[in-house]
Amino acid sequence: MAYVEGSHHVTLSVGSAQEDVDFHIKTLGMRFIKRTVLFDGSLPVYHLYYSNANGGPSSVVTTFPWAKQGRTGKPGTNQAREVLLSVPSTSLDYWHKRLTEHNIDVENTHAFDQRRLAFHHPSGLEYVFVGNDNDDREGHPGNGVPPEHAIHGIHGVGIHATTPERMIDFATDTFYAQNTIVEDGDRATFQVGNQKIGNHIELIGNRTDDHGTWNYGAGTYHHFAWNLDTLKNQDEIKFEIEGAGYTDISELKDRKYFKSVYVRTPAGALFELAVTHDDGGWDCDENPQELGTHFQLPNQFEDRRDEIFSNLEPLED
């Protein structure tokens, strides 16, 4: 029987590569686990990966920095917008102080009877810290972040939609949403798949903003990835989605570390259906203790290594 295990990673389009590294590593204390390039197209664009301590599914944030190419996007409705990250509930005061000390404006917000922290990536992307008491994923205590306050991983994704009910239909009828839907004003939340944590979709009814952009461009979400666990299960889910009439779905793509297909959902958010296959994983090209320290390329770009590297923004960890 086909199933969705839970979340896998989130991928964002940002501006400066160095600014992005500084934000995720120096400010948020995340672990730098991979530096490679965008596999699609021919432009030499970084693909940078950050995670909690172990880099497991549901813990990874990845980015495409577009400043050097001058590409910018437009946030709006019918688009994934919010990067929801899980932290210990007791850590919100710590993070409010730390973010403020790093010159990041942070706001106390409330949703679903719970305090949260809202702030922005330097490229304008919306980040939210959500407190969770029963999250046993191991945070990475980097750059002065104590272990007891470190980010556990992904909490979920916040999606703005003109007609959020269409997304609820897709999730409940086709994409293995759990049964409980909780509403709070113009926001509704539910979980997808078998996981108990890290797999929340939050839908925000938004009929005010213009349609957000879907192409690559700094300041916008690119996709939210789900863990399909096995290639056989991935095939079955793909056929089910197509059979339900959602045919805006890609062929299988080999991302070296995992294999994926992509589907555009009724809310505009792009979902990736990812499987970490037997020959993949973060350690397929680096020692586990050295993740993120070497510049990696897919085989099709290896003969252009010097050219590609010379056209990328230099990075200081």
Side-chain angles (χ1 to χ4, degrees):
M1 181 176 178
Y3 59 96
V4 174
E5 185 63 30
S7 62
H8 193 276
H9 68 271
V10 54
T11 295
L12 314 165
S13 291
V14 301
S16 161
Q18 186 63 59
E19 195 173 57
D20 184 68
V21 169
D22 291 346
F23 174 76
H24 285 104
I25 295 178
K26 294 183 179 179
T27 300
L28 300 189
M30 298 183 78
R31 184 183 179 191
F32 202 177
I33 61 167
K34 195 66 61 180
R35 64 184 81 194
T36 181
V37 294
L38 174 63
F39 283 21
D40 295 328
S42 59
L43 278 175
V45 177
Y46 275 124
H47 194 177
L48 308 175
Y49 292 68
Y50 314 96
S51 80
N52 64 8
N54 301 312
S58 84
S59 73
V60 178
V61 176
T62 89
T63 62
F64 302 129
W66 290 103
K68 200 164 185 185
Q69 283 72 28
R71 291 194 182 186
T72 57
K74 179 182 177 182
T77 194
N78 298 324
Q79 182 190 63
R81 286 263 297 261
E82 297 175 9
V83 183
L84 307 177
L85 298 178
S86 174
V87 298
S89 297
T90 54
S91 297
L92 294 177
D93 286 340
Y94 167 82
W95 279 109
H96 193 290
K97 182 173 184 289
R98 181 177 174 90
L99 291 168
T100 302
E101 288 174 346
H102 282 78
N103 299 314
I104 293 176
D105 293 332
V106 57
E107 179 184 1
N108 285 297
T109 64
H110 286 81
F112 309 109
D113 297 321
Q114 182 184 40
R115 177 191 173 199
R116 296 176 165 191
L117 298 180
F119 56 102
H120 289 83
H121 183 283
S123 299
L125 286 149
E126 301 164 55
Y127 277 58
V128 180
F129 277 162
V130 180
N132 284 294
D133 294 322
N134 300 307
D135 190 340
D136 59 3
R137 294 172 296 178
E138 184 181 356
H140 181 252
N143 279 274
V145 176
E148 65 271 21
H149 297 311
I151 297 168
H152 290 304
I154 294 167
H155 176 79
V157 54
I159 301 171
H160 288 231
T162 304
T163 53
E165 59 271 17
R166 299 292 175 262
M167 185 63 182
I168 292 175
D169 290 344
F170 169 78
T172 55
D173 295 343
T174 307
F175 205 63
Y176 296 87
Q178 298 179 17
N179 292 328
T180 303
I181 298 175
V182 180
E183 296 185 18
D184 183 359
D186 62 357
R187 187 179 292 255
T189 186
F190 53 90
Q191 292 175 268
V192 167
N194 299 329
Q195 286 179 192
K196 294 181 179 180
I197 200 80
N199 56 342
H200 287 79
I201 292 178
E202 295 191 3
L203 289 174
I204 300 91
N206 183 344
R207 297 174 177 86
T208 304
D209 290 346
D210 290 339
H211 197 300
T213 53
W214 291 349
N215 58 311
Y216 293 126
T220 55
Y221 230 104
H222 190 257
H223 63 261
F224 189 86
W226 298 92
N227 179 18
L228 274 292
D229 195 34
T230 70
L231 293 171
K232 179 179 182 293
N233 183 54
Q234 183 189 58
D235 274 345
E236 292 179 3
I237 294 286
K238 181 176 187 290
F239 292 144
E240 287 186 6
I241 291 172
E242 289 176 319
Y246 301 101
T247 56
D248 188 2
I249 191 166
S250 77
E251 73 280 7
L252 183 67
K253 295 179 181 290
D254 189 345
R255 302 312 195 188
K256 186 177 182 180
Y257 310 107
F258 42 86
K259 293 183 177 180
S260 301
V261 297
Y262 299 81
V263 59
R264 184 69 65 181
T265 69
L270 184 65
F271 279 179
E272 177 179 353
L273 316 179
V275 173
T276 303
H277 55 291
D278 291 344
D279 297 326
W282 311 126
D283 59 354
C284 72
D285 55 10
E286 286 182 289
N287 182 292
Q289 286 71 43
E290 297 179 344
L291 294 181
T293 60
H294 306 287
F295 179 54
Q296 304 294 338
L297 282 176
N299 292 335
Q300 68 265 31
F301 290 158
E302 192 59 57
D303 62 348
R304 297 174 55 201
R305 173 175 284 269
D306 292 343
E307 171 208 344
I308 288 173
F309 195 68
S310 68
N311 282 288
L312 293 170
E313 178 184 342
L315 285 181
E316 296 179 6
D317 293 348

